[in-house]
Amino acid sequence: MGSIPARSGLVTAFDELPPFHPLNDDDVRSYLHKAVDFISDYYKSVESMPVLPSVKPGYLRDELGASPPVHPAPFDIAMKELRASVTHSTFFKACRLAGFDPANFRSIPTGPETDYGVDPVKLLAAMQADAMAGLVPTYVCATVGTTSSNAVDPIGDVAKVAAMFNVWVHVDAAYADSACICPEFRHHLNGVERVDSISMSPHKWLLTCLDCTCLYVRDARRLSQSLKTDPEYLKNDASVSGDVTDLKDMQVGVGRRFRGLKLWMVMRTYGTANLQEHIRRDVTLAKMFEDLVHADDRFEIVVPRNFALVCFRIKTTGVRAADEVNRLLMANVNKTGKAYLTHTVVGGRLVLRFAVGSSLQEERHILSAWELIRKTSSEMMN
Amino acid sequence: MGSIPARSGLVTAFDELPPFHPLNDDDVRSYLHKAVDFISDYYKSVESMPVLPSVKPGYLRDELGASPPVHPAPFDIAMKELRASVTHSTFFKACRLAGFDPANFRSIPTGPETDYGVDPVKLLAAMQADAMAGLVPTYVCATVGTTSSNAVDPIGDVAKVAAMFNVWVHVDAAYADSACICPEFRHHLNGVERVDSISMSPHKWLLTCLDCTCLYVRDARRLSQSLKTDPEYLKNDASVSGDVTDLKDMQVGVGRRFRGLKLWMVMRTYGTANLQEHIRRDVTLAKMFEDLVHADDRFEIVVPRNFALVCFRIKTTGVRAADEVNRLLMANVNKTGKAYLTHTVVGGRLVLRFAVGSSLQEERHILSAWELIRKTSSEMMN
């Protein structure tokens, strides 16, 4: 504000109010510095912490009052109380939201013959059958690096098939697209020049904190034609002139946080060389784990590893028995609180997932986790 | 990690890699402290900054390289380079996304006779007409504190009408619900016990940074029945047991940031007493501005003020002329860089919006802004 006029004798109820200032700049500085120390101390000691919380669901509810405090709690106490406590599937949710009848979704089954990537021939057959039945194929979603197993669909071939039906082709590369900043992984995107859109989430593997997702579209006008709104109170010279890209016309909501800023800070702070190095390091660590699994006859790799996820399992005769043995191995490893395995089902078989991706992970952690898995398996088999 | 096994002679490509650690805990501490100081300094000097940026759309594009830097830029430099604005309309977007034909949306016109809140009699007439025409009324959205003018719909009466057609009633109270933490504003929610859902956004007026929206639903199962997904890799004992509320089944996406934490910190750090004080302060400041407008014959209040938004305009004969005069006043005020007015259209008339809400706003800023508006108007009228 520029000039400040004298009070001019105006009387308001305001004069009686106690002097509460929501934002005291000295407090801001002091509280935020304390919060930074809290986070820094947490990172420093993260290795000593169990990967599974020691608390049960609902414990925090008992710790909290039924209502918020009437008066402020000291900031230090609030910080102290802090110490306590996984997209493919989302696609089907999105289709339901968009008003498509679930009866009209098609999942193309995949198998080991294509390393669990989609077979374009099967896709073509499914689309042709639908078209013959009088349905209108509308949208194809291919995936590079599925969440479940990191399998990769051949996007160029998928796009060629889709082009016969004039449908929108989207590529979900939420996790794996980060790897494509390295030339040696970029071939997974071959054919991307034929698709309509592709999404990737730097919060998954590019050192950017949750949440940050990039969506690239070939023709942005097709997005804004669907999502444009024009309320009077949002009109301004810049938006009316068309000089700016009005993001409110390209998303569901109106307001948005400036997520691009944190991604920009990450790119600036690390540089591409270090970001590539970070990806290569994780992939090397995953490959190291894969080699350890390969070297032990009792285990098998189920889905060929593409990035930093290893899908493996104990070999046992009989599908049912193998699923149970692997589920038990996972439970026993996780119980230790030293490592945390997740599972998925690939081709009807339960598979264990070993994911490398923590920014603090080192070679010794991989070795120690494998040692834990090996030892736990041996104990179970005796 | 517990025990760390010896290297066991394993040779990997890893040995040759340079020692890049994405997360060095000392760096984290030092960078974050610098970032805190940057933010604190910004707050300290915010009053001296113009409310309109001095740059043109696109200027930043020219400042940036075509590609990210290969090597890291020093953190201080990245920080230095840093120096350099709603929901009724979103509802129609959401309907389109949900697959409803825009031809089937109904907006009930409002006017000064109900202070621009919806008239339940008109709502009933519209729903009856649709039902008679063979349509199925499905969803009614009432608003408490519309973004445009802060008008309030009588939600109890709206819910009674909606109940005759067995439709879902949602209340959008994104901004105004924050005021309802004060008993004197709570009557705006009368009848809320009859609705199916209500949403409010603490990031609008409850000192919580963007983005944080609370959705209350009467029957959470109706949400999860629509949005539930069950991929294998997300199954775990807690989710299977039903002991926990699995938020992935109550939202579009799977992952989410822990927004409840920052709201909790706000409630703890300020306490309800200070939060109520914050709301009352803003409303008192807005009322003060309203009184100033009332006291000047050249101006009128268009929509009765409910919260901290004042909708006013210069009175002039002739609708077209008045719109132009007010638009010019807004442009001239905003050009000064000392205050920023927005506009909306209410009942076909262009109206200026004066919003109180910045956490640093004081009485002197209101007086100074009014003085600026008064002076600018006088200059225009001469």
Side-chain angles (χ1 to χ4, degrees):
Chain A
M1 293 286 166
S3 60
I4 295 161
R7 281 288 305 278
S8 71
L10 195 84
V11 176
T12 71
F14 195 71
D15 297 309
E16 299 142 32
L17 293 178
F20 166 62
H21 295 282
L23 204 68
N24 175 300
D25 40 22
D26 290 328
D27 283 354
V28 167
R29 192 182 304 265
S30 140
Y31 292 172
L32 288 180
H33 277 304
K34 281 180 187 173
V36 164
D37 283 330
F38 177 88
I39 296 165
S40 305
D41 291 342
Y42 182 90
Y43 275 126
K44 200 141 200 134
S45 58
V46 68
E47 207 174 3
S48 68
M49 297 182 194
V51 293
L52 271 184
S54 59
V55 297
K56 294 269 167 246
Y59 102 97
L60 200 55
R61 198 181 303 139
D62 305 331
E63 298 282 315
L64 298 172
S67 44
V70 174
H71 298 294
F75 188 76
D76 292 333
I77 290 184
M79 291 298 293
K80 204 168 158 202
E81 286 173 0
L82 244 176
R83 289 200 184 274
S85 54
V86 197
T87 303
H88 211 246
S89 56
T90 308
F91 173 66
F92 298 107
K93 207 188 260 192
C95 291
R96 286 213 303 275
L97 281 167
F100 288 96
D101 186 331
N104 292 329
F105 305 170
R106 303 284 175 266
S107 279
I108 313 297
T110 61
E113 67 286 357
T114 55
D115 289 348
Y116 298 94
V118 75
D119 180 345
V121 177
K122 287 187 184 165
L123 175 65
L124 178 59
M127 292 182 82
Q128 272 173 333
D130 274 350
M132 302 271 284
L135 295 169
V136 182
T138 305
Y139 185 100
V140 171
C141 180
T143 310
V144 173
T146 62
T147 307
S148 170
S149 69
N150 272 198
V152 172
D153 291 336
I155 57 181
D157 291 343
V158 167
K160 276 185 213 162
V161 171
M164 299 180 202
F165 301 87
N166 195 28
V167 309
W168 186 286
V169 182
H170 176 71
V171 175
D172 174 0
Y175 161 79
D177 204 17
S178 290
C180 299
I181 66 169
C182 302
E184 69 268 34
F185 296 113
R186 212 160 287 160
H187 64 93
H188 289 301
L189 293 181
N190 283 352
V192 73
E193 67 280 3
R194 297 174 186 271
V195 310
D196 297 287
S197 57
I198 175 168
S199 57
M200 56 107 43
S201 298
H203 70 237
K204 285 184 181 272
W205 200 10
L206 213 61
L207 302 180
T208 309
C209 62
L210 197 74
D211 48 354
C212 178
T213 295
C214 303
L215 174 68
Y216 298 90
V217 283
R218 171 173 312 288
D219 181 359
R221 277 172 309 174
R222 293 178 71 181
L223 251 196
S224 53
Q225 276 161 12
S226 306
L227 296 172
K228 196 169 173 60
T229 52
D230 225 1
E232 193 60 36
Y233 57 88
L234 289 181
K235 285 182 185 159
N236 59 66
D237 291 346
S239 64
V240 171
S241 72
D243 285 348
V244 296
T245 301
D246 208 335
L247 294 173
K248 77 165 172 50
D249 295 336
M250 303 175 76
Q251 61 185 11
V252 177
V254 174
R256 62 189 290 137
R257 288 182 303 124
F258 188 6
R259 294 172 177 85
L261 180 61
K262 63 188 183 185
L263 177 57
W264 179 82
M265 286 294 284
V266 163
M267 295 193 303
R268 294 270 322 166
T269 307
Y270 293 122
T272 45
N274 276 330
L275 289 174
Q276 290 174 333
E277 169 57 23
H278 148 71
I279 296 285
R280 286 176 182 137
R281 216 181 139 89
D282 281 1
V283 174
T284 304
L285 289 174
K287 180 160 189 332
M288 187 177 121
F289 183 85
E290 184 189 28
D291 291 343
L292 291 166
V293 175
H294 267 310
D296 189 323
D297 282 347
R298 298 172 301 168
F299 292 86
E300 64 178 322
I301 299 291
V302 182
V303 183
R305 184 195 51 73
N306 284 314
F307 306 104
L309 175 75
V310 182
C311 291
F312 73 108
R313 59 188 246 137
I314 297 184
K315 287 188 275 192
T316 317
T317 45
V319 171
R320 185 67 67 93
D323 278 4
E324 274 163 34
V325 168
N326 280 286
R327 197 181 290 276
L328 187 63
L329 171 60
M330 175 172 70
N332 287 343
V333 166
N334 291 350
K335 247 191 307 198
T336 67
K338 293 182 179 174
Y340 190 78
L341 292 173
T342 54
H343 74 288
T344 190
V345 170
V346 175
R349 299 189 300 168
L350 188 130
V351 175
L352 303 179
R353 301 164 82 243
F354 183 87
V356 176
S358 158
S359 3
L360 293 168
Q361 220 150 24
E362 297 175 19
E363 189 170 344
R364 62 196 171 94
H365 301 121
I366 309 298
L367 293 170
S368 139
W370 172 245
E371 179 61 26
L372 177 67
I373 293 167
R374 211 194 46 71
K375 200 170 134 244
T376 309
S377 306
S378 298
E379 282 165 8
M380 277 171 47
M381 289 170 177
N382 287 340
Chain B
M1 291 286 166
S3 59
I4 296 160
R7 282 289 306 276
S8 73
L10 194 84
V11 176
T12 73
F14 195 70
D15 298 308
E16 299 142 33
L17 294 178
F20 166 62
H21 296 280
L23 202 68
N24 176 298
D25 40 25
D26 290 327
D27 284 352
V28 167
R29 191 182 306 264
S30 138
Y31 292 171
L32 287 181
H33 277 302
K34 281 180 187 171
V36 165
D37 283 330
F38 176 87
I39 296 165
S40 305
D41 291 342
Y42 182 89
Y43 276 123
K44 200 140 199 134
S45 58
V46 70
E47 208 175 1
S48 68
M49 298 182 193
V51 293
L52 271 185
S54 59
V55 298
K56 293 266 166 247
Y59 103 97
L60 199 54
R61 198 180 300 138
D62 305 330
E63 298 283 314
L64 299 171
S67 43
V70 174
H71 298 294
F75 188 76
D76 292 331
I77 291 182
M79 290 297 294
K80 203 169 157 202
E81 287 174 359
L82 245 175
R83 286 205 186 273
S85 297
V86 200
T87 302
H88 212 241
S89 58
T90 309
F91 174 67
F92 299 108
K93 206 187 260 193
C95 290
R96 286 213 302 274
L97 281 168
F100 288 94
D101 186 331
N104 293 327
F105 305 169
R106 301 283 174 269
S107 278
I108 313 296
T110 61
E113 66 287 356
T114 55
D115 290 349
Y116 297 95
V118 74
D119 180 345
V121 176
K122 288 188 185 163
L123 175 65
L124 177 60
M127 292 181 82
Q128 271 173 335
D130 274 352
M132 303 269 285
L135 295 169
V136 182
T138 306
Y139 185 99
V140 170
C141 181
T143 310
V144 173
T146 62
T147 306
S148 171
S149 71
N150 272 200
V152 172
D153 292 336
I155 57 181
D157 291 342
V158 167
K160 275 186 213 160
V161 170
M164 299 180 202
F165 301 87
N166 194 29
V167 310
W168 185 287
V169 181
H170 175 71
V171 174
D172 174 0
Y175 162 77
D177 204 17
S178 290
C180 299
I181 65 169
C182 301
E184 68 268 32
F185 295 114
R186 212 161 286 160
H187 65 92
H188 289 302
L189 292 180
N190 283 352
V192 71
E193 67 280 1
R194 298 172 186 269
V195 310
D196 297 289
S197 56
I198 175 168
S199 58
M200 56 119 24
S201 299
H203 69 238
K204 286 184 181 267
W205 201 10
L206 215 60
L207 302 179
T208 309
C209 62
L210 195 78
D211 50 351
C212 178
T213 295
C214 303
L215 174 68
Y216 298 89
V217 284
R218 173 174 311 289
D219 180 358
R221 277 171 311 173
R222 293 176 71 181
L223 249 196
S224 54
Q225 275 161 13
S226 305
L227 296 171
K228 199 172 173 55
T229 51
D230 224 2
E232 193 60 35
Y233 58 88
L234 288 182
K235 285 182 185 161
N236 59 66
D237 291 344
S239 64
V240 171
S241 71
D243 286 347
V244 296
T245 301
D246 208 334
L247 294 173
K248 76 164 173 50
D249 295 336
M250 303 176 75
Q251 60 184 13
V252 177
V254 174
R256 64 190 287 134
R257 288 182 304 123
F258 187 6
R259 295 173 176 84
L261 180 62
K262 63 187 182 187
L263 178 55
W264 179 83
M265 286 294 283
V266 164
M267 296 194 298
R268 294 274 318 170
T269 306
Y270 291 122
T272 43
N274 276 330
L275 289 174
Q276 290 174 333
E277 169 57 25
H278 148 70
I279 296 285
R280 288 178 181 138
R281 218 182 139 87
D282 281 2
V283 173
T284 304
L285 290 174
K287 179 158 189 334
M288 187 176 123
F289 184 85
E290 184 189 27
D291 291 342
L292 291 165
V293 174
H294 266 310
D296 190 324
D297 282 346
R298 298 173 301 167
F299 293 87
E300 65 178 323
I301 298 292
V302 182
V303 182
R305 184 196 51 76
N306 285 312
F307 306 105
L309 176 75
V310 182
C311 290
F312 72 108
R313 59 189 244 136
I314 296 185
K315 287 188 274 192
T316 318
T317 46
V319 170
R320 185 64 67 92
D323 280 4
E324 273 163 35
V325 169
N326 280 286
R327 198 183 289 278
L328 187 64
L329 171 59
M330 174 170 74
N332 288 344
V333 166
N334 291 349
K335 245 190 308 198
T336 65
K338 292 181 179 175
Y340 190 78
L341 292 173
T342 55
H343 74 287
T344 189
V345 171
V346 175
R349 300 191 298 168
L350 187 128
V351 174
L352 303 178
R353 301 164 81 243
F354 183 86
V356 175
S358 157
S359 4
L360 292 169
Q361 221 151 22
E362 294 174 24
E363 190 170 344
R364 63 194 172 95
H365 300 121
I366 308 299
L367 293 170
S368 136
W370 173 246
E371 178 61 27
L372 178 66
I373 292 167
R374 212 194 45 73
K375 198 169 136 246
T376 310
S377 306
S378 298
E379 282 166 11
M380 277 170 48
M381 288 172 180
N382 288 341

Short mmCIF file of all heavy atoms in Angstrom, two decimals, chain A residues 195-213:
data_model
loop_
_atom_site.label_atom_id
_atom_site.label_comp_id
_atom_site.label_asym_id
_atom_site.label_seq_id
_atom_site.Cartn_x
_atom_site.Cartn_y
_atom_site.Cartn_z
N VAL A 195 1.00 -40.69 -30.47
CA VAL A 195 -0.08 -40.71 -29.47
C VAL A 195 -0.65 -39.32 -29.24
O VAL A 195 -0.07 -38.31 -29.65
CB VAL A 195 0.39 -41.34 -28.14
CG1 VAL A 195 1.07 -42.68 -28.38
CG2 VAL A 195 1.27 -40.39 -27.34
N ASP A 196 -1.82 -39.27 -28.56
CA ASP A 196 -2.49 -37.99 -28.31
C ASP A 196 -2.06 -37.37 -26.99
O ASP A 196 -2.07 -36.15 -26.84
CB ASP A 196 -4.01 -38.19 -28.30
CG ASP A 196 -4.51 -38.67 -29.64
OD1 ASP A 196 -4.54 -37.84 -30.56
OD2 ASP A 196 -4.84 -39.86 -29.79
N SER A 197 -1.71 -38.19 -26.02
CA SER A 197 -1.31 -37.65 -24.72
C SER A 197 -0.45 -38.65 -23.98
O SER A 197 -0.48 -39.86 -24.24
CB SER A 197 -2.55 -37.30 -23.89
OG SER A 197 -3.38 -38.43 -23.73
N ILE A 198 0.35 -38.12 -23.09
CA ILE A 198 1.19 -38.97 -22.25
C ILE A 198 1.34 -38.29 -20.90
O ILE A 198 1.49 -37.07 -20.83
CB ILE A 198 2.57 -39.25 -22.91
CG1 ILE A 198 3.47 -40.04 -21.96
CG2 ILE A 198 3.27 -37.98 -23.38
CD1 ILE A 198 4.72 -40.59 -22.61
N SER A 199 1.27 -39.07 -19.84
CA SER A 199 1.41 -38.50 -18.49
C SER A 199 2.58 -39.15 -17.76
O SER A 199 2.90 -40.33 -17.97
CB SER A 199 0.13 -38.69 -17.69
OG SER A 199 -0.21 -40.04 -17.60
N MET A 200 3.23 -38.37 -16.95
CA MET A 200 4.31 -38.90 -16.10
C MET A 200 4.31 -38.13 -14.79
O MET A 200 3.94 -36.97 -14.74
CB MET A 200 5.67 -38.78 -16.78
CG MET A 200 6.09 -37.40 -17.23
SD MET A 200 7.38 -36.58 -16.25
CE MET A 200 8.57 -37.80 -15.95
N SER A 201 4.70 -38.80 -13.72
CA SER A 201 4.65 -38.21 -12.39
C SER A 201 6.04 -38.10 -11.78
O SER A 201 6.56 -39.07 -11.24
CB SER A 201 3.76 -39.04 -11.47
OG SER A 201 2.45 -39.08 -11.96
N PRO A 202 6.64 -36.91 -11.85
CA PRO A 202 7.96 -36.73 -11.24
C PRO A 202 7.99 -37.07 -9.75
O PRO A 202 9.04 -37.36 -9.20
CB PRO A 202 8.25 -35.24 -11.47
CG PRO A 202 7.46 -34.88 -12.68
CD PRO A 202 6.21 -35.70 -12.57
N HIS A 203 6.83 -37.09 -9.09
CA HIS A 203 6.83 -37.44 -7.67
C HIS A 203 7.11 -38.92 -7.45
O HIS A 203 7.34 -39.35 -6.33
CB HIS A 203 5.53 -37.01 -6.96
CG HIS A 203 4.30 -37.77 -7.35
ND1 HIS A 203 3.18 -37.17 -7.85
CD2 HIS A 203 3.99 -39.09 -7.28
CE1 HIS A 203 2.24 -38.08 -8.08
NE2 HIS A 203 2.73 -39.25 -7.75
N LYS A 204 7.05 -39.71 -8.51
CA LYS A 204 7.29 -41.13 -8.33
C LYS A 204 8.77 -41.47 -8.32
O LYS A 204 9.22 -42.32 -7.57
CB LYS A 204 6.58 -41.94 -9.41
CG LYS A 204 5.07 -42.02 -9.17
CD LYS A 204 4.39 -42.91 -10.19
CE LYS A 204 2.89 -42.95 -9.96
NZ LYS A 204 2.46 -43.99 -9.02
N TRP A 205 9.52 -40.83 -9.21
CA TRP A 205 10.92 -41.28 -9.32
C TRP A 205 11.86 -40.15 -9.69
O TRP A 205 12.99 -40.39 -10.05
CB TRP A 205 10.99 -42.42 -10.35
CG TRP A 205 12.19 -43.30 -10.25
CD1 TRP A 205 13.13 -43.33 -9.26
CD2 TRP A 205 12.59 -44.29 -11.21
NE1 TRP A 205 14.07 -44.29 -9.52
CE2 TRP A 205 13.77 -44.89 -10.72
CE3 TRP A 205 12.08 -44.72 -12.43
CZ2 TRP A 205 14.43 -45.91 -11.40
CZ3 TRP A 205 12.74 -45.73 -13.10
CH2 TRP A 205 13.90 -46.32 -12.59
N LEU A 206 11.40 -38.90 -9.63
CA LEU A 206 12.28 -37.83 -10.07
C LEU A 206 12.52 -36.81 -8.96
O LEU A 206 12.65 -35.61 -9.21
CB LEU A 206 11.73 -37.18 -11.35
CG LEU A 206 12.81 -36.65 -12.32
CD1 LEU A 206 13.72 -37.76 -12.82
CD2 LEU A 206 12.18 -35.94 -13.51
N LEU A 207 12.60 -37.33 -7.72
CA LEU A 207 13.03 -36.53 -6.57
C LEU A 207 12.15 -35.33 -6.26
O LEU A 207 12.59 -34.39 -5.61
CB LEU A 207 14.48 -36.09 -6.76
CG LEU A 207 15.51 -37.22 -6.95
CD1 LEU A 207 16.91 -36.64 -7.13
CD2 LEU A 207 15.50 -38.18 -5.78
N THR A 208 10.92 -35.34 -6.76
CA THR A 208 9.98 -34.25 -6.52
C THR A 208 8.93 -34.76 -5.54
O THR A 208 8.43 -35.88 -5.69
CB THR A 208 9.31 -33.83 -7.85
OG1 THR A 208 10.33 -33.61 -8.81
CG2 THR A 208 8.48 -32.58 -7.67
N CYS A 209 8.62 -33.96 -4.54
CA CYS A 209 7.72 -34.50 -3.51
C CYS A 209 6.28 -34.53 -4.02
O CYS A 209 5.88 -33.78 -4.91
CB CYS A 209 7.85 -33.72 -2.21
SG CYS A 209 7.40 -32.00 -2.34
N LEU A 210 5.51 -35.49 -3.48
CA LEU A 210 4.09 -35.66 -3.81
C LEU A 210 3.36 -34.34 -3.64
O LEU A 210 3.56 -33.69 -2.62
CB LEU A 210 3.50 -36.72 -2.88
CG LEU A 210 2.17 -37.37 -3.28
CD1 LEU A 210 2.37 -38.34 -4.42
CD2 LEU A 210 1.53 -38.07 -2.10
N ASP A 211 2.47 -33.90 -4.55
CA ASP A 211 2.19 -34.52 -5.82
C ASP A 211 2.57 -33.62 -6.98
O ASP A 211 2.47 -32.40 -6.89
CB ASP A 211 0.70 -34.89 -5.93
CG ASP A 211 -0.21 -33.73 -5.52
OD1 ASP A 211 0.31 -32.69 -5.05
OD2 ASP A 211 -1.41 -33.82 -5.70
N CYS A 212 3.02 -34.23 -8.07
CA CYS A 212 3.43 -33.50 -9.26
C CYS A 212 3.33 -34.43 -10.47
O CYS A 212 4.10 -35.37 -10.59
CB CYS A 212 4.87 -33.00 -9.09
SG CYS A 212 5.52 -32.11 -10.50
N THR A 213 2.35 -34.19 -11.33
CA THR A 213 2.17 -35.01 -12.53
C THR A 213 2.16 -34.12 -13.76
O THR A 213 1.53 -33.08 -13.76
CB THR A 213 0.84 -35.81 -12.44
OG1 THR A 213 0.93 -36.73 -11.36
CG2 THR A 213 0.57 -36.58 -13.72
#
